[in-house]
Amino acid sequence: SAVHGALQAFHEALMRGDEKRDDEIVSLFDTDWAAECAGNMKLKNGETPEKLRELGHALVRLYMNESRDLSVRAVEHAFDVQLVDPTTGEVLGPNLVGVFDLIVEENTVVELKTAARDYSSDMLSRHIQVALYDYAYRQIHGAAPRIEVVALVKTKLPALKRHTVRKSAGDSVWIAHLAAEVARAIDARVFPPNPGWSCADCEYGDECRAWRGN
């Protein structure tokens, strides 16, 4: 969260043509990081707030060093699109609402991720968020976007990996129907536990463990 906030300020400075100093961006990270530390933050074995702060500094500086030439068109760009079948026009459910991290060049959406390991092409081909971004962009602009997933990898030596993902028109139909099905499950209050890799950081962990079908 703190890395994301700092890089948002970096992108906004690029869009304005403002030569904001790297130290100013890192200082914004520190402000957000202090707020995170004041809350109920969960740490994994061997982690300390100071070690994570140093890692955050390294990730922010690495990204800035490799991204100064970006032609930024929009930052944290909100969208609100109708959920329809793109082939038939049938309204499937409530609107799809979200935010694009970054739009650069023509028809290019950038999604920033901090991750413990890099994304494989197989993971990205099945990534729900990427498919939803593709759907939303097509609904807004009538064109298929190029989606770039930028992974800031939290290894001992931090790394930055860029991946390009392109979805098909068929993928757009599939994700629209999936989103509608999820909306119907929410309306029906169907919330079974779904254990996975994100459990360690999930804010609903206690409720999930206490679940008995109610």
Side-chain angles (χ1 to χ4, degrees):
S1 177
V3 167
H4 200 282
L7 296 183
Q8 178 183 341
F10 172 71
H11 293 141
E12 289 170 346
L14 286 180
M15 188 166 62
R16 295 192 305 267
D18 179 7
E19 294 288 332
K20 193 176 279 291
R21 289 168 44 193
D22 289 4
D23 288 347
E24 293 180 72
I25 300 296
V26 172
S27 178
L28 291 173
F29 166 85
D30 280 338
T31 300
D32 283 350
W33 180 243
E36 292 288 340
C37 290
N40 185 25
M41 184 171 60
K42 296 179 181 178
L43 296 175
K44 297 181 176 66
N45 289 337
E47 290 182 339
T48 67
E50 185 54 36
K51 284 182 180 178
L52 291 174
R53 177 175 174 267
E54 292 173 2
L55 177 59
H57 284 188
L59 292 172
V60 169
R61 290 187 183 277
L62 174 63
Y63 181 86
M64 290 191 294
N65 286 338
E66 297 197 14
S67 308
R68 299 189 194 280
D69 296 330
L70 284 177
S71 177
V72 178
R73 299 198 171 188
V75 181
E76 293 295 306
H77 186 68
F79 61 80
D80 184 340
V81 299
Q82 196 171 35
L83 193 60
V84 300
D85 184 314
T87 55
T88 67
E90 176 192 359
V91 177
L92 300 174
N95 282 15
L96 177 67
V97 178
V99 178
F100 297 125
D101 281 352
L102 187 66
I103 299 177
V104 299
E105 303 168 359
E106 188 170 357
N107 293 331
T108 299
V109 175
V110 179
E111 170 63 14
L112 295 175
K113 296 289 189 187
T114 55
R117 61 185 62 85
D118 192 17
Y119 291 86
S120 68
S121 58
D122 184 54
M123 288 171 63
L124 291 173
S125 71
R126 295 181 284 108
H127 204 288
I128 296 295
Q129 187 179 14
V130 169
L132 290 170
Y133 282 170
D134 174 85
Y135 173 84
Y137 195 92
R138 287 171 184 261
Q139 290 298 108
I140 297 166
H141 298 285
R146 170 183 176 270
I147 299 178
E148 184 178 69
V149 176
V150 178
L152 288 162
V153 188
K154 300 180 286 185
T155 43
K156 188 172 182 180
L157 182 63
L160 186 153
K161 304 292 184 179
R162 300 180 187 271
H163 304 277
T164 297
V165 184
R166 292 189 183 275
K167 309 297 286 185
S168 69
D171 292 328
S172 196
V173 176
W174 184 87
I175 198 65
H177 282 271
L178 176 62
E181 191 71 10
V182 170
R184 283 192 285 274
I186 292 170
D187 287 342
R189 301 191 63 75
V190 177
F191 303 120
N194 183 26
W197 63 269
S198 60
C199 285
D201 299 318
C202 181
E203 61 188 299
Y204 298 106
D206 292 339
E207 289 88 343
C208 188
R209 284 184 288 274
W211 178 83
R212 296 292 184 274
N214 54 340

